[in-house]
Amino acid sequence: MSKTVPTEPVHDLDPEDEKLITLARSSRARNSAAQGAAVRDVTRRTYVATTVDLPSLRLSAVRAAVAAAASSGAEGLQAVAVVGGPEDETELSAEDLAAVRDMGASVVLLASPDGTLRRVSRS
């Protein structure tokens, strides 16, 4: 996941990638969570999650969405979108990146809460 694309508005994205950002934004807003994430599997099904911050369980939105996909039988992922988080964040955490790589996602989209892209990585 090495190619960096300059910040661009969501409407310049592939419609399927734009859908992921919209799903992640909606989930984040609905739950008033720090982050929202959406993933698309190889059969084009989508899974959405937000940050889990319980006393006994803490998961990033990415790991929660990957877990939802994996526990639903997804055999791999095509793309991941993450909305929210620190404004200067342009990379996934090492743990999130490992989960994404485990499932083979080739596109990672990082967006601000308003949907503006901060980074697109493709492998």
Side-chain angles (χ1 to χ4, degrees):
M1 306 203 179
S2 57
K3 184 180 177 188
T4 301
V5 177
T7 301
E8 56 188 86
V10 173
H11 65 270
D12 288 346
L13 283 176
D14 172 274
E16 291 298 314
D17 291 343
E18 185 175 343
K19 175 182 170 183
L20 284 182
I21 290 176
T22 299
L23 289 169
R25 286 181 70 205
S26 297
S27 180
R28 177 183 178 272
R30 182 176 47 255
N31 294 337
S32 300
Q35 284 188 325
V39 300
R40 182 175 61 244
D41 74 10
V42 294
T43 64
R44 303 184 79 64
R45 290 181 296 178
T46 56
Y47 306 87
V48 180
T50 60
T51 308
V52 176
D53 192 10
L54 301 172
S56 61
L57 178 64
R58 294 177 191 262
L59 290 174
S60 69
V62 171
R63 282 178 276 158
V66 169
S71 67
S72 294
E75 295 182 12
L77 298 179
Q78 292 179 339
V80 176
V82 184
V83 173
E87 286 302 316
D88 59 350
E89 184 176 74
T90 59
E91 293 287 337
L92 293 181
S93 70
E95 296 85 2
D96 288 349
L97 191 55
V100 167
R101 286 184 175 156
D102 284 348
M103 294 293 287
S106 59
V107 176
V108 175
L109 308 160
L110 298 178
S112 299
D114 68 358
T116 302
L117 283 176
R118 292 192 294 229
R119 181 180 173 105
V120 177
S121 300
R122 300 181 193 279
S123 60

